Amino acid sequence: AGNFIQKNPSQIEKQLISPKKIDDSVIIYTYDSTYKQSGEDRRSGVLYATANAVETALNQIMEYSRQAGKKDAGSILLLGRYGFDGDYLERSGLFEYKTRGSKIKSVKYPQLDITFMTVHMSKGLGYDNVILINMFEGKFGFPCQIEDDPIMKLVMHEDRSMPFAEERRLFYVAMTRTKNRVYIATPKHKPSRFLVELIKDYNLSHDEG
């Protein structure tokens, strides 16, 4: 995270130091984003594929908890680039979500403590594990590629020191909300340029769904 943010030459220098060492601190799950939904069948299409990748991350979190002898998986933060990401997960049938910026429930693991919010809302917060969705390259992806978004101009100062400088800072926020691991769901056909950069720089492995 520190090296990623410091690639911006205008960024104030940050030095991240942690006493905790964890294997596989960033875990990537890919899914096929080319699937088309078949009629009313919610177990098909890109929304279901995305939600299924998130559920796979929950499976892994549960397994790590069992290996550590813990009774529960702790707090889980599900991060989206946009508020509607939570609504999309619910449409898959794998999750229940009623109020933005609040709790989201896994149908498979209803006992888990899962909070959904946007990356903007998560600044300054910390959770045991973080799952990041919407990591694709596109207009409503991460980095956001909406040109001249008036809302974004109100909440973020303009930085032209490098492409997507503000979005880079936001991705740094997303990666540093966890106390343990970051799980990332991304389409294998159009992954975010930020994720491609991480894989290239750190030789990160990924599981294909």
Side-chain angles (χ1 to χ4, degrees):
N3 291 338
F4 178 84
I5 193 66
Q6 289 301 153
K7 286 189 177 182
N8 184 346
S10 67
Q11 175 65 46
I12 297 175
E13 185 174 353
K14 297 177 182 289
Q15 185 175 10
L16 303 186
I17 300 175
S18 173
K20 183 182 291 187
K21 301 297 181 182
I22 297 179
D23 293 333
D24 300 322
S25 57
V26 179
I27 300 177
I28 302 168
Y29 298 102
T30 61
Y31 56 88
D32 192 340
S33 61
T34 64
Y35 290 147
K36 302 297 183 182
Q37 184 166 340
S38 177
E40 297 299 320
D41 182 13
R42 293 197 293 181
R43 298 182 65 85
S44 64
V46 65
L47 297 185
Y48 182 84
T50 304
N52 187 63
V54 173
E55 189 173 88
T56 302
L58 294 178
N59 293 338
Q60 186 66 71
I61 291 174
M62 294 291 287
E63 179 59 28
Y64 278 131
S65 297
R66 284 192 289 266
Q67 292 176 6
K70 296 180 179 179
K71 294 183 179 180
D72 62 69
S75 60
I76 300 171
L77 177 60
L78 188 56
L79 282 178
R81 178 61 183 80
Y82 309 95
F84 53 69
D85 289 327
D87 299 319
Y88 285 167
L89 286 179
E90 182 178 40
R91 287 167 58 183
S92 71
L94 298 179
F95 294 89
E96 295 178 3
Y97 176 61
K98 300 300 180 183
T99 306
R100 290 186 177 182
S102 187
K103 296 297 182 180
I104 188 167
K105 184 170 74 172
S106 163
V107 173
K108 183 177 182 179
Y109 299 112
Q111 78 279 14
L112 289 180
D113 177 18
I114 308 174
T115 300
F116 172 81
M117 66 179 66
T118 65
V119 181
H120 278 107
M121 294 173 61
S122 73
K123 292 182 179 180
L125 302 178
Y127 287 74
D128 291 315
N129 288 286
V130 167
I131 302 174
L132 181 58
I133 60 177
N134 205 50
M135 286 301 300
F136 71 88
E137 188 73 11
K139 183 176 181 180
F140 290 99
F142 200 173
C144 168
Q145 298 182 27
I146 304 175
E147 296 183 2
D148 299 322
D149 185 339
I151 301 299
M152 293 301 296
K153 287 185 176 181
L154 288 176
V155 299
M156 305 178 81
H157 72 274
E158 190 172 17
D159 183 351
R160 298 185 179 276
S161 56
M162 68 182 307
F164 301 108
E166 295 292 355
E167 292 288 297
R168 180 173 288 265
R169 293 189 182 97
L170 198 58
F171 187 51
Y172 167 84
V173 169
M175 288 192 293
T176 54
R177 297 309 92 198
T178 185
K179 299 176 183 178
N180 294 293
R181 293 180 173 87
V182 177
Y183 302 81
I184 303 176
T186 185
K188 56 187 174 183
H189 297 96
K190 51 177 181 179
S192 163
R193 68 183 65 194
F194 287 164
L195 198 52
V196 171
E197 182 179 323
L198 286 184
I199 293 172
K200 179 180 178 182
D201 289 352
Y202 301 101
N203 194 31
L204 298 178
S205 60
H206 59 275
D207 295 329
E208 293 192 10

